[in-house]
Amino acid sequence: YTGPILRYADTAPHTLAVQIAPDTYLGASGGYDDYVNHSCDPNCGLVIDGANVQLVAIRDIPEGDELYFDYSTTMDEDDFEMPCRCGAPNCRVLVRDFKHLPDDLKRRYASLGIVPAYNRKYLP
């Protein structure tokens, strides 16, 4: 993932940005990374180390499959939610902050190494 560093005040609900730290976001790059969609049953996750953000597979992905990550893994904003239409059997219907995920899912994501440092405080 690449893009300009933004502060919360520089973002809006339509901004293509991913949270990478408190009050810090990676904005749109103009590349493919701007188009990785959300799924409640993701095949990828983000590993965030400062501004170094890597999309990693969290299970085998057949060639040609779309890449998805769970947007909730990166979110800790307290003011952004969006309806989910991913269609996964385990769809949560609403994408919201990591702290609202079920504890077992938080633990699973942590075991996969895709929970950023700023969200680890919410691990059970």
Side-chain angles (χ1 to χ4, degrees):
Y1 270 64
T2 62
I5 299 295
L6 304 174
R7 296 292 176 211
Y8 178 79
D10 302 320
T11 68
H14 64 275
T15 304
L16 292 178
V18 62
Q19 187 173 5
I20 60 171
D23 192 38
T24 308
Y25 299 77
L26 198 57
S29 68
Y32 292 116
D33 55 346
D34 291 345
Y35 302 101
V36 178
N37 286 316
H38 164 83
S39 177
C40 294
D41 187 22
N43 53 19
C44 295
L46 295 183
V47 175
I48 299 172
D49 181 16
N52 181 19
V53 180
Q54 301 291 319
L55 182 71
V56 298
I58 59 172
R59 64 175 190 227
D60 289 339
I61 304 170
E63 186 175 335
D65 274 12
E66 184 171 353
L67 304 178
Y68 301 99
F69 77 95
D70 187 335
Y71 289 0
S72 293
T73 58
T74 66
M75 294 170 51
D76 187 26
E77 309 172 304
D78 288 321
D79 75 340
F80 177 77
E81 296 178 347
M82 69 179 225
C84 184
R85 296 179 190 91
C86 73
N90 62 329
C91 180
R92 297 185 306 273
V93 183
L94 189 63
V95 179
R96 51 198 298 220
D97 288 354
F98 180 79
K99 65 183 144 207
H100 300 295
L101 293 177
D103 284 349
D104 61 330
L105 187 55
K106 290 179 198 172
R107 282 190 289 272
R108 179 174 173 266
Y109 286 155
S111 74
L112 294 167
I114 58 170
V115 176
Y118 59 89
N119 270 337
R120 291 183 195 139
K121 64 188 172 210
Y122 301 116
L123 293 172

